[in-house]
Amino acid sequence: VLLYRRRRGRRTPPFSLLVVAGSGGHTTEILRLLSCLSESYSPRHYVLADSDKMSEAKIRSFEQKRAEKFSKSQFSLDRIPRSREVRQSWISSVVTTLYSILYSLPLTYKRKPDVILCNGPGTCVPVCLSAFLLGLLRIKRTVIVYVESICRVETLSLSGKILYYFSDYFIVQWPDLKKKYPKSVYLGRIV
């Protein structure tokens, strides 16, 4: 984000941040990343799959603790249809992903985030592609920051393989991935 700001001229805080949460470890990892961010990243708009029941409680707890530290903390929660269920066939996942993209477009347009931060749940693909499309249409340019999950040591996740080509910053946490994917940025373990 800092490099983007230097290239495009001065952008003063706050930055509208859209965070894609995913069930299980994805939400835990993304919340660890968010705990390091300053209050300049506000409001925070969380997007999660409509079938994800666990992430909402984690996000609300995180935001409640954050509000104690930063009095002007703002956040929202939005749900979209899951683009791909675990063990869903590839053919049917194309259809559900297209449906999820159509659902994500008005949401991304409404929120108009400055930055999207995601770390691998399938839900991030339609959201990022929607933001990318809005940028192509010159409606809103959004910086997409993708952080590959810490558990991905040798290969990228399916979301990572897709978003490698659409993200502005693609961060990996293992040196072997940096060797295989030269566009990526290796920062070591960050979560």
Side-chain angles (χ1 to χ4, degrees):
V1 173
L2 294 174
L3 294 173
Y4 175 75
R5 188 169 70 185
R6 285 185 199 143
R7 281 188 286 172
R8 299 294 230 163
R10 295 278 176 198
R11 167 77 165 95
T12 58
F15 296 101
S16 174
L17 179 65
L18 192 144
V19 180
V20 184
S23 56
H26 291 293
T27 298
T28 302
E29 283 186 16
I30 206 78
L31 292 177
R32 283 186 189 160
L33 286 171
L34 290 175
S35 67
C36 301
L37 294 180
S38 73
E39 62 184 318
S40 298
Y41 293 89
S42 182
R44 284 168 308 289
H45 306 289
Y46 294 92
V47 177
L48 39 127
D50 55 5
S51 61
D52 183 358
K53 306 301 179 205
M54 294 174 29
S55 296
E56 184 174 349
K58 288 181 183 180
I59 291 167
R60 289 192 184 281
S61 174
F62 171 80
E63 285 294 336
Q64 184 177 12
K65 290 175 187 169
R66 191 166 174 90
E68 294 169 6
K69 186 176 179 181
F70 303 114
S71 61
K72 296 180 182 179
S73 185
Q74 298 176 347
F75 78 100
S76 67
L77 284 167
D78 294 296
R79 293 187 176 273
I80 64 169
R82 188 178 292 268
S83 60
R84 183 172 186 266
E85 294 286 347
V86 176
R87 295 185 190 89
Q88 182 179 353
S89 74
W90 293 103
I91 301 294
S92 66
S93 67
V94 170
V95 174
T96 55
T97 300
L98 289 173
Y99 175 68
S100 191
I101 289 171
L102 290 174
Y103 202 91
S104 299
L105 270 168
L107 174 66
T108 309
Y109 178 78
K110 174 184 167 187
R111 297 297 183 197
K112 289 188 177 80
D114 297 308
V115 180
I116 292 179
L117 179 62
C118 53
N119 70 332
T123 308
C124 70
V125 173
V127 172
C128 291
L129 292 178
S130 297
F132 185 78
L133 181 60
L134 292 178
L136 287 178
L137 296 173
R138 300 186 184 273
I139 294 172
K140 171 65 177 173
R141 171 72 172 101
T142 301
V143 175
I144 300 172
V145 180
Y146 182 89
V147 180
E148 186 61 271
S149 177
I150 188 75
C151 67
R152 291 309 202 155
V153 179
E154 296 178 3
T155 61
L156 296 179
S157 63
L158 179 58
S159 299
K161 289 174 184 174
I162 295 168
L163 294 178
Y164 180 75
Y165 301 100
F166 296 98
S167 62
D168 296 286
Y169 300 98
F170 191 91
I171 300 169
V172 295
Q173 300 184 62
W174 295 97
D176 287 348
L177 288 177
K178 171 63 181 164
K179 291 174 190 171
K180 291 180 183 177
Y181 301 95
K183 175 191 163 190
S184 66
V185 177
Y186 169 65
L187 298 176
R189 293 179 65 182
I190 59 175
V191 293

